[in-house]
Amino acid sequence: MIDEKTAREAVIQAADELFYAHGVQAVGMDAVRTAAGVSLKRIYSLFASKDDLIVAVLHHRTGMWDSGLASASEPATTARERILAIFDFLDAWFREPTFRGCAFINTHGELGATSTAVSDAVREQKRSFQEYVAHLVADAGAPAELAPQLAILAEGAQTTAAIAGTPDAARQARAAAETLLDVATGVRR
């Protein structure tokens, strides 16, 4: 029998893959059980409800998002480069064959109106990303109002890439971010 931590990770990983590929409402707990190799009884001892599992998956996705941003910005030496690295990260992600858009936006679209816990988890991730961008904007010496504009570019690029089925939105959003940065910081190119 696998320990609780391993079982929990297996269930979250399986649910994440299934929810992302098919949508949270389309995936039943039997499918999660089969993919994770963990009994339903054990799953429900780990997660009191499907909503609890969905929230755990969203927290898992937050960790993936944060790690991806950190990795993409690692080679950057300036705040400007770290801001633009967000869009480079998006470009690489959009090119993955499994890309299906933003899991947070997708999940909120399915359950945001009916699940406070899901809605709260999505809002927390979006707030955290906006805060990350705000710190970078402050480090770049740009006005604070630039941060939500850049965050909206990143969010819009995710939705556009998912709907259009092409990674072009990342490049286009990056170009817009460069223009906004130049104007906000007085740089002429």
Side-chain angles (χ1 to χ4, degrees):
M1 181 177 218
I2 59 176
D3 63 67
E4 185 170 318
K5 181 180 182 218
T6 303
R8 182 176 175 79
E9 290 171 358
V11 171
I12 290 171
Q13 185 64 41
D16 178 37
E17 290 171 12
L18 290 168
F19 293 164
Y20 190 61
H22 306 289
V24 293
Q25 292 186 51
V27 175
M29 294 302 280
D30 285 335
V32 174
R33 176 200 67 213
T34 300
V38 176
S39 72
L40 276 178
K41 182 177 180 180
R42 185 88 185 267
I43 290 173
Y44 282 113
S45 75
L46 297 167
F47 307 96
S49 67
K50 186 175 179 183
D51 267 13
D52 287 347
L53 175 57
I54 294 165
V55 169
V57 167
L58 291 172
H59 288 145
H60 168 74
R61 280 269 165 178
T62 297
M64 291 170 54
W65 173 262
D66 292 348
S67 293
L69 285 177
S71 179
S73 69
E74 195 172 295
T77 58
T78 67
R80 178 189 175 87
E81 289 173 355
R82 286 190 297 279
I83 290 167
L84 296 176
I86 293 167
F87 301 95
D88 298 336
F89 164 70
L90 293 176
D91 185 70
W93 177 37
F94 297 170
R95 292 174 188 284
E96 292 177 8
T98 58
F99 175 71
R100 301 285 181 272
C102 174
F104 301 98
I105 294 169
N106 296 346
T107 304
H108 191 269
E110 285 191 66
L111 299 174
T114 59
S115 173
T116 303
V118 167
S119 188
D120 289 348
V122 171
R123 284 188 181 114
E124 175 56 26
Q125 189 276 333
K126 297 304 179 189
R127 185 208 55 76
S128 175
F129 175 61
Q130 290 169 359
E131 189 175 279
Y132 171 77
V133 175
H135 286 345
L136 294 177
V137 165
D139 289 348
E145 59 268 12
L146 178 62
Q149 295 168 3
L150 294 171
I152 288 168
L153 280 175
E155 298 293 350
Q158 293 172 67
T159 303
T160 301
I163 293 169
T166 174
D168 295 345
R171 181 183 41 77
Q172 294 158 350
R174 188 184 199 280
E178 287 182 286
T179 299
L180 288 171
L181 281 162
D182 289 349
V183 170
T185 58
V187 172
R188 293 184 184 215
R189 296 207 186 261

